[in-house]
Amino acid sequence: MHNLGTALITSAFLLTAGPVLAQATIKIDGSSTVFPIAEAVAEEFQALKKGQTRVTVGIAGTGGGFKKFCRGEIDISNASRPILKEEMDACKAAGISYIELPIAFDALTLAVNPQNTWAKDMTLADLKKIWSPDAQGKIMKWKDVRPEWPDLPLKLYGAGADSGTFDYFTEAVNGKAKSIRADYTPSEDDNVLVQGIENDKGALGFIPYAYYAPHAARMKALGIDGGKGVVLPSEKTVIDGSYAPMSRPLFIYVKASEAKRPEIKEFIEFFLTKGEPLIQEVKYVPLPKSAYTTSLTRFSTGETGTGFGGTPEVGLSITQILAKKPVH
């Protein structure tokens, strides 16, 4: 069983199986949301290779990963949102092209402390009231959100500015990426957010589902009303599209110039053909099998570019995501 253990608090990991040989190395960094998937796949792949290949996986955040990727420091960038315009420009300026591969879906989860007996769900209007820049210094207690809620300090926890979760959540809730109140506890390490929510009765935080699920006994997920009724995060509500706009695609970006390296080729083929049960194990939603076949073809033919317009593009269904074709 793969889990997110306390070791996640560190900024990077060297995942090895057996003796480390001075041979092939694959460097991966980026999203802490995608980290559990990458960690699980890396462990299984290294066990298969019996020490011939090592895989390093960092958690610099989606933005931090793209910075390293566009500087040519890593081979694969994990991302919890599509590549942004400024990152596309940075890679282009550095002469780095990339293969965009969707790998899974996440149910971005709004979580509260288990001692919170008053809040069971929120509307998007509630979330905007709490998280908009205008809320700073004004929406400070639970009763400021809804008058029937208690006179208790509202302690907010969420992704830091280098996180793709930050970009996606702010776009979905406030209508503009990176637009948010400043007086909350931010971190690119989701375990820091988990600890905050677990230890504070007045806490409210947004975290990836894979970080909520192992801690479900010590926190509570809120239902979200996106306009069609209250929906809780789950594999079913992600697949059927009802958990909108808080379900989102997860990606890996492969440096095109490295894609022909035998170890990179083997790793990506392993990821796309053997990764599905590992994705389920770490509590994310795998894509349809046909999607992995399409991605494998995209990788094998070296189809570069992105199917997105340089923005987070929130609220898209699995079908809509898979219909997007990369544009150079």
Side-chain angles (χ1 to χ4, degrees), residues 111-247:
V112 296
N113 187 277
Q115 296 182 67
N116 182 326
T117 57
W118 56 92
K120 294 179 175 58
D121 55 74
M122 286 189 180
T123 64
L124 289 178
D126 289 331
L127 292 175
K128 187 171 185 178
K129 186 176 184 179
I130 293 168
W131 291 97
S132 73
D134 294 341
Q136 186 165 331
K138 298 177 184 175
I139 309 300
M140 305 299 291
K141 296 185 176 182
W142 280 92
K143 71 173 185 178
D144 298 331
V145 184
R146 293 187 190 177
E148 66 269 26
W149 287 349
D151 184 10
L152 180 74
L154 178 63
K155 299 294 184 66
L156 299 174
Y157 297 85
D162 258 346
S163 168
T165 303
F166 174 84
D167 294 322
Y168 190 92
F169 182 82
T170 50
E171 180 81 32
V173 170
N174 294 328
K176 182 181 179 182
K178 303 186 187 299
S179 174
I180 197 170
R181 64 191 294 171
D183 57 339
Y184 75 101
T185 300
S187 180
E188 278 78 19
D189 184 347
D190 292 295
N191 276 288
V192 173
L193 308 179
V194 166
Q195 290 168 12
I197 297 165
E198 288 181 349
N199 295 323
D200 195 328
K201 182 178 178 179
L204 170 68
F206 59 93
I207 55 176
Y209 190 78
Y211 288 81
Y212 161 73
H215 301 266
R218 299 191 294 279
M219 62 175 70
K220 183 175 73 173
L222 299 181
I224 302 299
D225 188 346
K228 296 181 180 179
V230 175
V231 182
L232 283 162
S234 70
E235 180 176 347
K236 178 182 180 298
T237 58
V238 169
I239 291 172
D240 68 21
S242 63
Y243 191 65
M246 294 301 172
S247 62

Side-chain angles (χ1 to χ4, degrees), residues 3 47 63 91 109 124 160 171 207 255 273 283 302 304:
N3 58 62
C91 276
T109 302
L124 289 178
E171 180 81 32
I207 55 176
K255 189 177 178 183
T273 58
K283 305 304 181 184
T304 59

